[in-house]
Amino acid sequence: MSKMEPDDDTVRHVPRALIIQDEVALNKMLKTMLEQMHMLTFCETQTATALKHYSQIHPDLVMLDIGMPGGWKTLDTIKETKVLFRRPAIIILCDSRDPATRLMGKLRGVEEYLLKSCTREAVQVAVRRAINLDDLDDESR
């Protein structure tokens, strides 16, 4: 009997992302960008439903509009679970370059900070830094 070789079609983890953002057009744009980066992506427009969805999908990445009603509380709730699971990576979406918002986010365990008006390249760089997608890209070539 010959020894079986491992199959090349091994199941790989597909990173999951949750976008919590109340602007539908921006959600669609970010979802498309993340899906092009081989991520399974979900969108929520309200923080209350986002937390329910968050607990169901256990995302690797959360992109959170911190200016939404309940944004900071949502961040704190996610951070509590991050202590246990070491994920998700968190990217804050914001309307302004306010350094106080950036500092408060960093103090709460945020990996990256993006302006809502950012470019596709800025999103890709931030996501790659936050969850190290470079390894995934190498595998998909």
Side-chain angles (χ1 to χ4, degrees):
M1 239 187 245
S2 65
K3 187 176 180 179
M4 294 185 67
E5 296 287 323
D7 194 7
D8 285 357
D9 295 331
T10 38
V11 177
R12 290 186 175 88
H13 175 72
V14 176
R16 293 174 305 276
L18 176 60
I19 301 167
I20 307 170
Q21 157 62 278
D22 55 3
E23 296 174 31
V24 175
L26 183 55
N27 273 348
K28 288 179 182 178
M29 183 183 72
L30 290 170
K31 184 177 184 351
T32 299
M33 286 181 198
L34 296 180
E35 287 174 345
Q36 289 172 348
M37 297 174 77
H38 310 288
M39 298 184 74
L40 183 58
T41 307
F42 305 89
C43 298
E44 288 291 339
T45 57
Q46 297 178 359
T47 54
T49 55
L51 287 173
K52 289 177 188 173
H53 204 171
Y54 170 83
S55 65
Q56 293 170 346
I57 64 170
H58 303 287
D60 300 287
L61 173 71
V62 171
M63 297 182 88
L64 171 64
D65 176 359
I66 204 67
M68 288 177 63
W72 288 106
K73 183 176 175 161
T74 300
L75 176 62
D76 290 339
T77 301
I78 291 170
K79 186 180 172 204
E80 288 172 16
T81 64
K82 188 174 177 169
V83 171
L84 297 173
F85 301 109
R86 293 188 179 195
R87 64 180 185 154
I90 301 168
I91 298 176
I92 283 185
L93 300 168
C94 192
D95 286 326
S96 70
R97 297 183 187 272
D98 180 20
T101 300
R102 185 182 293 253
L103 177 61
M104 288 185 64
K106 289 291 182 188
L107 292 174
R108 286 182 160 132
V110 171
E111 280 74 20
E112 295 288 332
Y113 172 94
L114 286 171
L115 293 174
K116 288 183 185 181
S117 60
C118 63
T119 64
R120 173 183 301 274
E121 292 77 22
V123 171
Q124 290 173 342
V125 167
V127 169
R128 286 186 198 297
R129 279 194 301 227
I131 65 170
N132 196 12
L133 277 182
D134 291 328
D135 293 338
L136 180 65
D137 284 348
D138 291 342
E139 292 173 0
S140 65
R141 289 185 188 154

